[in-house]
Amino acid sequence: MRLTIFGSGYVGLVTGACMAEMGNHVVCVDIDRTKIDRLNAGEIPIYEPGLAAYVERNAEAGRLEFTTDVQKGVDHGLFQFISVGTPPDEDGSADLKHVLAVARSIGGHMSDYRIVVDKSTVPVGTADKVRAEIQGELRRRGTNLEFDVVSNPEFLKEGAAIADFMKPDRIIIGTDNPRTTELLRALYEPFNRNHDRVISMDIRSAELTKYAANAMLATKISFMNELANLAERFGADIENVRVGIGSDPRIGYHFIYPGVGYGGSCFPKDVRALAKSAADSGYEARLLDAVEAVNNRQKHRLFDKIGEHFDGDLDGRTIALWGLSFKPGTDDMREAPSRTLMEALWQAGAGVRAYDPEAMQEARRLYPEQDRFELCDTAYGVLEGADALAIVTEWQEFRSPDFDTLKQKLAAPVIFDGRNLYDPEMLRALGLTYYAIGRGNVADPARSGWDRRSTDKIAS
């Protein structure tokens, strides 16, 4: 099939590459000439495992093209995917200016029947606005052409987007035309062969489904962080609690890991946008407001622990930081907990020495003039002479470090673990002071009940 994708950012590029991988002829349109030039030169502007190979293979085969030519894009595809950004506005609502601009472009250039697919995450009612913009352009041109607008939200996890698209859990299709539903089914047939993953519904329900999914996952994270904060006060270990409640199939183990809050381009933006949509409809969504408030507070937990440990005296100290991206498998630092921690440390007069496997370039772009910020090429390189280590992102290479080397390099053997990667008792036995999230009292070496000989066996 022939399809056009407006927007060559995260969602658009993954969608285009995966659709082309199945033999479709895809044209990606973007107004950013620099981005298009980079893509045509074989450069991928984002980090996503496996994406570069998909883009390269399908571009070479002629199935994936990149252009700034809107007319070419509208002429090319029966399916016109809108995959542009919907950044948060000042009041928390989703900014639809890019979505509606694409709709006007389609209406201004189309000459035949088109199916316009909202792939961007948008508030309920956006399809109506897209339809009105296209219809307005057609009227302005004095043309009467048939078209349909569809809601087909994406459910891609950063770091696993290729797998999510190629083997989806579900394919949501929101339409008001049975013929359009069948055409979308045919487009997604290659991704739907094992069993039927297509769930068809009305357009507004499809739009709400995307927001509801992200809000539900964000709620689980914030609720678990709330329990973690209680566990610290009660002297309980939240990791034991997590296993205990996760064994209940009604709850499950997914998204109940305590930490330093969620970030990224989806959860924060979508929770706020849904709460704003609720307020605009005259409903106070108290739970959504609480999810957001708990998450904002949780992002400060490591800084609070660091401040308490040093009795509020952080001026002139250096904190080593492992992890900058908001989650493993991506270089995305949008609303990342690392940014909250670093900015608080700088304000308190401390310096930060950081390492991340993928997000170093993005960190340089975000903080080009911060003189108390140093990036190192290795995880152990950040430790030299630092007053403490803070762990913010749970990259695999941080899960089993050489603790003896860590102790030797740090000025003081102190770890602030925002992702609960290690066993507190083992770190006590190794002579490390260890602060985690929701794991009872601080793991102080003086209170260790761990047999050091068992640790030596692990080391050997």
Side-chain angles (χ1 to χ4, degrees), residues 295-312:
N295 189 63
N296 289 337
R297 183 177 63 187
Q298 197 68 17
K299 287 183 177 182
H300 290 87
R301 286 298 293 141
L302 276 194
F303 176 75
D304 293 342
K305 290 174 180 286
I306 293 170
E308 290 170 8
H309 176 82
F310 291 107
D311 296 324

Side-chain angles (χ1 to χ4, degrees), residues 82-87 93-100 117-130 149-154 203-212 214 269-270 273-274 277:
I82 301 178
S83 300
V84 294
T86 54
S93 62
D95 187 346
L96 297 177
K97 64 183 178 184
H98 302 304
V99 171
L100 300 181
V117 183
D118 283 337
K119 199 70 174 171
S120 301
T121 301
V122 293
V124 176
T126 298
D128 295 336
K129 295 179 180 179
V130 168
V149 178
V150 177
S151 175
N152 174 221
E154 54 86 12
I203 293 174
R204 286 182 170 241
S205 295
E207 291 172 330
L208 181 56
T209 295
K210 169 63 177 181
Y211 274 120
N214 281 353
K269 173 176 69 71
D270 293 351
L274 185 56
S277 293

Side-chain angles (χ1 to χ4, degrees), residues 74-97:
V74 177
D75 288 342
H76 173 78
L78 168 64
F79 300 95
Q80 303 276 307
F81 279 76
I82 301 178
S83 300
V84 294
T86 54
D89 219 332
E90 291 183 2
D91 61 358
S93 62
D95 187 346
L96 297 177
K97 64 183 178 184

Side-chain angles (χ1 to χ4, degrees), residues 242-265:
R242 178 182 63 79
V243 174
I245 65 175
S247 62
D248 186 331
R250 296 171 301 175
I251 297 172
Y253 291 104
H254 294 295
F255 284 85
I256 60 168
Y257 287 87
V260 285
Y262 57 77
S265 63

Side-chain angles (χ1 to χ4, degrees), residues 166-183:
M166 300 300 284
K167 297 180 179 180
D169 297 319
R170 72 283 208 198
I171 302 168
I172 303 294
I173 299 175
T175 69
D176 54 11
N177 185 336
R179 177 187 64 178
T180 311
T181 303
E182 293 311 308
L183 287 170

Side-chain angles (χ1 to χ4, degrees), residues 309-376:
H309 176 82
F310 291 107
D311 296 324
D313 181 18
L314 295 176
D315 190 27
R317 296 189 183 276
T318 298
I319 304 300
L321 188 67
W322 280 0
L324 293 165
S325 58
F326 84 93
K327 61 179 283 188
T330 181
D331 61 354
D332 195 343
M333 289 181 63
R334 284 175 287 186
E335 304 210 34
S338 65
R339 298 179 65 176
T340 301
L341 174 59
M342 290 191 299
E343 290 165 12
L345 288 169
W346 293 328
Q347 188 172 1
V352 174
R353 194 183 299 142
Y355 167 77
D356 187 283
E358 295 296 338
M360 308 275 268
Q361 185 174 344
E362 178 65 4
R364 290 188 185 95
R365 185 188 70 81
L366 290 170
Y367 302 107
E369 299 179 357
Q370 177 53 254
D371 58 4
R372 293 199 299 275
F373 185 34
E374 180 184 354
L375 292 166
C376 297

Side-chain angles (χ1 to χ4, degrees), residues 109-283:
H109 293 85
M110 63 187 287
S111 58
D112 202 352
Y113 173 69
R114 291 291 179 264
I115 299 173
V116 180
V117 183
D118 283 337
K119 199 70 174 171
S120 301
T121 301
V122 293
V124 176
T126 298
D128 295 336
K129 295 179 180 179
V130 168
R131 182 179 289 108
E133 293 291 340
I134 296 173
Q135 196 63 61
E137 286 297 309
L138 293 174
R139 280 197 302 268
R140 183 185 62 79
R141 294 168 53 198
T143 304
N144 185 20
L145 294 171
E146 185 183 4
F147 67 94
D148 283 300
V149 178
V150 177
S151 175
N152 174 221
E154 54 86 12
F155 297 94
L156 306 177
K157 299 186 295 291
E158 291 193 44
I162 297 295
D164 287 344
F165 200 102
M166 300 300 284
K167 297 180 179 180
D169 297 319
R170 72 283 208 198
I171 302 168
I172 303 294
I173 299 175
T175 69
D176 54 11
N177 185 336
R179 177 187 64 178
T180 311
T181 303
E182 293 311 308
L183 287 170
L184 265 295
R185 279 185 178 274
L187 176 64
Y188 278 106
E189 179 61 28
F191 307 94
N192 197 37
R193 298 180 70 85
N194 181 267
H195 64 274
D196 189 7
R197 298 178 174 89
V198 172
I199 304 172
S200 61
M201 60 185 71
D202 63 279
I203 293 174
R204 286 182 170 241
S205 295
E207 291 172 330
L208 181 56
T209 295
K210 169 63 177 181
Y211 274 120
N214 281 353
M216 175 66 79
L217 296 175
T219 299
K220 292 183 74 173
I221 294 170
S222 280
F223 181 72
M224 205 63 193
N225 283 331
E226 197 84 302
L227 288 179
N229 295 335
L230 287 176
E232 288 187 6
R233 286 153 178 78
F234 296 160
D237 188 337
I238 193 62
E239 291 301 316
N240 292 333
V241 176
R242 178 182 63 79
V243 174
I245 65 175
S247 62
D248 186 331
R250 296 171 301 175
I251 297 172
Y253 291 104
H254 294 295
F255 284 85
I256 60 168
Y257 287 87
V260 285
Y262 57 77
S265 63
C266 295
F267 287 4
K269 173 176 69 71
D270 293 351
V271 169
R272 288 193 292 264
L274 185 56
K276 181 61 169 59
S277 293
D280 290 344
S281 72
Y283 181 76

